[in-house]
Every structure is written in structure tokens, then in C-alpha cells.
Amino acid sequence: MSLYHSTRSRAEECSAKEAIRRGLAPDGGLFVSDELGSAKVDVDGLAELDYAAIARAVLGLLLPDYTADEIAACVNEAYTGTFASPEVTPVVPLTKAPGAAAGPHAHVLELYHGPTSAFKDVALQMLPRLMARAQASAGAGEKIMIVTATSGDTGKAALAGFADAPGCGITVFYPEGKVSRVQELQMTTQAGANVAVAAVRGNFDDAQSAVKGIFADRALAERLAAAGIVLSSANSINVGRLVPQVVYYFAAYAQLMRAGAIAAGDAVEFCVPTGNFGDVLAGYYAKMLGLPVSKLVVASDKNNVLFDFLTTGVYDRNRPFFTTTSPSMDILISSNLERMLYYVSDGDCELIAHLMADLAETGRFEVPAELLAKIQETFACGWADEDEVAGAIAASWHENAYLIDPHTACGYHVLEKLPAAAGSAARMLLSTASPYKFPRAVLEALGEDVPADDFACMRKLEEVTGTCAPAQLAALETAHERFSDVVDVPGMGAYVEDAALRL
Ligand SMILES: *Cc1c(COP(=O)(O)O)cnc(C)c1O
């Protein structure tokens, strides 16, 4: 059976279930398995499989200690009746490919048809189911309290995934006044007996640092342990959040085959709007599992730390932080890059430990030239500033009659700039959020006057484009707000403890 261990050391090994329960390796590294890629997914047979069947095949390879029945049950619970498309993640052709007149055709992979209209639903509908089975196998009867600080999207997707999940609770903190009204209402109206939501007087970094402090608080951990409760995290360092994302790369390929856009074995280029490097890393896992991928294009916003790294080999977070219209990509430390470096360096734990120590101490690291060359064989990159993002939203609408959100627009701009990777039979842009989650920025990009109220923006966007807001977003205007808690940063630990003891 394949075992997981830290990217920084092979000293301790554990099962996939154990890795999912723990989240982060004890030495601060991320869990990886050296078996990845030793067995491949059958690409020739993909066209006959629906999303659930592809998910069972991919997850079975990546999580070998889950039984086939457990995986099938998780897939069924996560994706039956929860996504607004029968394909779960549908592929849509663009009528006019961005940029070049000739060349391989461009398509969009719409990842946002889940319950919260962001791509994080694909993983966060699955993680709680995987965690429940991991807990049951551990047999300790413990309860897990998920604690998350969010800049907007993760919090709601995690709440929707963990609401009323057996044996789990979830507490979400968001910075007061720093998320959009739509995002705030998405969280404060969340149903479920095991959820808690609070605004924090501070910014996202304050909330995030305080959550790290809560995880490191020994005294709190002991008090919770006495009540049979452990704390865990739902962000993309968890293996259980990463692996469900591998599935949609295969599902996209299957749809292209069924549409006759490619034949089995043809290479596809994927362009991925990137923040924490989870989504694009899942594409790399898909490639290692046998998916024909010509290039993975990392698209950034103005916070272009990954562009600089992939171009020069120097990762340097000592730079100004920009707040943009694509908040989920406003990130200077892309945690999952560590997993990519692990695999590209053929599992050189010592090198990874060294690079991450450099990053922690100086905010910077540099990879050897041979390693950079190897990375560049698979990964290309580009970025968009805010004017370019607005320009891409307008171009996509005017040239394709296709509406995109500001995150997807970063990818659209990059596709437009870069020539198609050699050998690509098709180009695929991953679309990570519904444009209706950001109606203000999208309207503005289309050159329209912007009403003061977010819901007025939503209605105007419907009028101007003839498209329809997802029902669950439009319904927020009249939804009942359950939570109005506001806490100071020093009060966050006590808030978590109260919520945990209510489980
Ligand atoms: C989280 C998020 C991203 C970035 O994904 P990573 O896996 O962190 O790289 C991009 N777009 C949207 C809308 C997101 O919510």
C-alpha cells in the first residue's frame, strides 16, 4: 500500500486516511506519496466514463487505503444533486480563441457550478466525506473542529461542505468589512447545527496568524482533547482537498474526446488562475497519472510572485502586496508549490527542507538552474494587471459573448498573450468562479455605471448581458442572517473553544 510522508523528510510514514486527518505533517511539510504515477489512469477509455466514474478511478489510485465502497459513497454524496450541471464541471468552447486567429481551439472548463459558485466546492464537497471515513477508521470516537480564516471564498465553500457533517464542526473567521456583501451574506446565512461564523476586527493576515496561533496553543489543545475534540484545517495543504481537483482534468479531457475536439492521446494545454498553487498542482498530478498535457500555464494577478519564480528560479515574497479585483489570487506564499518542487526534484526531501527553511527565515529561496529548467518543461506562466483583467472581461464578452469573473480573466489574458504550447491539440482555460460572485467588478469592466448595492449590480448584470445569476446568490438578498458575532483578534481562541464544546 502506498504511504504518505512529509515533503521534508521520510522519517515518518502514514496512510492516506491518517494524512487527511492530520492535514499537515508534524515537521511543517506537506504530505506526499512516492507511489504517485506508478499506476496510470486509462486515457483511451475515458470518453465512456461520467464524472463519478472518473472520480472513483482517480481517487482509488491516490487514496489506496480507502475501500472501493468508501470511495464510491464519498463520490456519490459529494456530487449527486449538489452541482447545477450533469457534467459537474462542464466544458464550453469559446467561439473565437483568444489571441491568435489560427491554432488549437480554446475551451473553458467551468468549475463553479457547485453550491457556493466557486471552484473550491469541487474539493470541499468531498473533503468532509473523506474525513468522516478517516475518523471512523481511527476509531477513537474523536470529534474534529475545522478552523478557517478566509478572505472570502474558502469560508463559504468550507461551511457548505462541513455543515451537519457527522463528527465535525466548523468555525470560520472573516475580516470585518473586507469581504463583499455577497460573500458576507453567503457565510452569515449558513445553515447547520455545527457551524459558527464570526467577523474579526482586523485584516485577513491578522485572522490567519491568529488561527495559526490557535493550532499551536497547547493548553487549548489539552482542554479540547479532554472533551474528545481535535482541531484541523480545511485549506489546500490537506491531501483530501487536493486530490478531488485532479478528477476534473480527466473529466475535461473526456468531454473533449466526446465532442470530437481531440482524439485519445492528443495533448491539451491547461491555463489555471493561480493563488495557493493547489488547482494547477492537481493538473500536474493528472499529468503524472498519465493525462496527455502539453503545458500547465500558471496565470497570476498583479501579485506575480509565481511568474517571477517560474521565470528566474528565485521565489521572493519580500514585495508589496496588492489588493485586487481577484482576491482569491492575492497571495504571496503559495503553499502547494512545495509539493511541485518535491516531485520535480525526484523527491529530494533534503533540498525541500532547505528551501523552506530559507523561505521561513528570509522570505526568499532560489532553486538550482537544472531544476528550474525541468520545471519550465512542464510549467509556463503569465500575469495580468487590473486594467488587463478588466480588458479581458470586456474582450471575452464582446468577442465570445462569454461572461467571465476577474480570476478567470487573469487566465484569459495570459492565454491571449502566450502562443499555444507546441503539440497542443486544444487549449483549456479553467474558470474558477461565477461572474455573479463579483458583479461589481464585472459590470465596471463592461463599462457600465455601477449601482451602490451588490444585488442591484447583480440585477443590472443580468439585464445588460441577458445571463442569469445563480439562484443561491440572488436568494441571499432576502435570506435570514444567523450570525452577527464580531470578535477581537485575542478573543478568537475562546470563540473556537466555545463552538467546539457545543459539538
Ligand atoms: C482559490 C481560488 C483561486 C486560486 O486557486 P489556488 O488553488 O489557490 O491556486 C482562483 N480563483 C478563485 C475564484 C478561487 O477561489
Side-chain angles (χ1 to χ4, degrees):
M1 185 200 301
S2 100
L3 289 171
Y4 280 80
H5 62 81
S6 168
T7 42
R8 302 180 193 178
S9 144
R10 285 188 179 72
E12 257 188 79
E13 294 188 319
C14 68
S15 67
K17 283 181 176 170
E18 191 65 38
I20 286 173
R21 260 179 63 228
R22 288 208 229 160
L24 198 65
D27 62 1
L30 308 190
F31 283 115
V32 283
S33 163
D34 293 337
E35 296 288 305
L36 178 59
S38 57
K40 309 276 188 207
V41 174
D42 168 31
V43 170
D44 292 346
L46 273 180
E48 276 102 74
L49 303 185
D50 66 7
Y51 194 92
I54 295 172
R56 290 193 296 271
V58 171
L59 296 180
L61 288 179
L62 293 170
L63 307 173
D65 52 304
Y66 283 78
T67 66
D69 283 351
E70 284 176 328
I71 297 230
C74 288
V75 167
N76 193 30
E77 290 165 22
Y79 302 123
T80 306
T82 48
F83 281 68
S85 163
E87 301 276 13
V88 180
T89 57
V91 170
V92 179
L94 287 174
T95 41
K96 177 180 171 297
H105 204 87
H107 304 255
V108 179
L109 174 58
E110 295 182 345
L111 300 175
Y112 57 78
H113 294 288
T116 81
S117 307
F119 96 98
K120 291 181 172 69
D121 286 327
V122 181
L124 281 164
Q125 283 296 309
M126 177 61 79
L127 177 64
R129 331 278 182 200
L130 295 173
M131 211 173 252
R133 270 75 184 182
Q135 265 173 288
S137 300
E142 71 186 13
K143 291 180 180 152
I144 294 181
M145 173 52 93
I146 303 288
V147 184
T148 298
T150 181
S151 59
D153 271 3
T154 302
K156 175 58 182 183
L159 284 167
F162 280 98
D164 291 329
C168 285
I170 174 162
T171 306
V172 169
F173 295 107
Y174 66 91
E176 186 184 28
K178 305 242 172 18
V179 301
S180 77
R181 182 67 185 144
V182 172
Q183 287 177 313
E184 179 169 45
L185 284 171
Q186 277 194 300
M187 292 186 272
T188 56
T189 58
Q190 176 65 48
N194 63 340
V195 307
V197 176
V200 176
R201 291 189 192 92
N203 62 28
F204 171 67
D205 286 328
D206 300 331
Q208 170 101 317
S209 306
V211 165
K212 285 185 183 153
I214 289 169
F215 283 127
D217 184 340
R218 282 288 173 86
L220 174 62
E222 277 169 26
R223 290 198 299 278
L224 292 177
I229 297 163
V230 292
L231 299 180
S232 188
S233 139
N235 76 30
S236 63
I237 54 177
N238 193 311
V239 175
R241 230 192 98 174
L242 184 63
V243 295
Q245 298 181 226
V246 180
V247 175
Y248 50 69
Y249 285 88
F250 286 97
Y253 196 90
Q255 289 179 64
L256 287 181
M257 282 168 75
R258 283 199 288 272
I262 59 167
D266 284 352
V268 175
E269 177 181 29
F270 290 91
C271 179
V272 188
T274 297
N276 219 8
F277 212 80
D279 200 0
V280 71
L281 180 77
Y284 186 49
Y285 277 36
K287 184 174 156 87
M288 285 190 274
L289 289 172
L291 190 72
V293 173
S294 56
K295 270 267 160 48
L296 293 165
V297 182
V298 176
S300 301
D301 67 16
K302 198 175 171 189
N303 295 291
N304 57 5
V305 63
L306 284 168
F307 175 85
D308 288 349
F309 171 68
L310 294 167
T311 312
T312 65
V314 176
Y315 193 97
D316 191 351
R317 61 157 303 194
N318 304 303
R319 57 175 68 216
F321 175 87
F322 300 106
T323 300
T324 73
T325 49
S326 43
S328 298
M329 293 163 66
D330 294 343
I331 284 181
L332 292 182
I333 300 191
S334 295
S335 311
N336 271 302
L337 187 65
E338 180 169 348
R339 283 194 170 103
M340 183 268 264
L341 295 171
Y342 174 84
Y343 285 111
V344 178
S345 68
D346 296 321
D348 189 342
C349 291
E350 221 173 298
L351 173 72
I352 306 305
H354 184 75
L355 296 175
M356 294 304 131
D358 283 353
L359 182 65
E361 278 158 33
T362 67
R364 177 186 189 282
F365 66 80
E366 180 165 8
V367 296
E370 316 83 69
L371 195 61
L372 176 62
K374 228 177 134 190
I375 292 169
Q376 289 171 337
E377 283 170 20
T378 302
F379 294 90
C381 58
W383 65 283
D385 68 24
E386 296 225 78
D387 289 342
E388 289 166 334
V389 167
I393 292 171
S396 177
W397 177 247
H398 294 306
E399 289 165 24
N400 285 301
Y402 186 75
L403 201 60
I404 55 177
D405 93 290
H407 301 78
T408 308
C410 294
Y412 191 98
H413 174 80
V414 170
L415 265 191
E416 203 153 49
K417 280 273 133 113
L418 290 183
S424 309
R427 313 184 87 185
M428 183 71 70
L429 170 62
L430 274 60
S431 179
T432 51
S434 161
Y436 282 95
K437 273 198 102 162
F438 307 94
R440 178 173 306 277
V442 174
L443 260 188
E444 216 169 290
L446 296 181
E448 300 290 331
D449 289 335
V450 180
D453 174 71
D454 271 21
F455 293 97
C457 287
M458 243 187 236
R459 281 188 293 272
K460 183 157 180 195
L461 191 57
E462 288 185 315
E463 275 166 37
V464 168
T465 62
T467 62
C468 217
Q472 70 268 19
L473 294 183
L476 287 171
E477 189 169 13
T478 53
H480 169 64
E481 275 196 87
R482 290 182 66 200
F483 299 98
S484 55
D485 299 334
V486 184
V487 298
D488 288 310
V489 170
M492 289 169 61
Y495 190 86
V496 170
E497 188 166 3
D498 279 354
L501 295 176
R502 282 199 303 272
L503 283 179

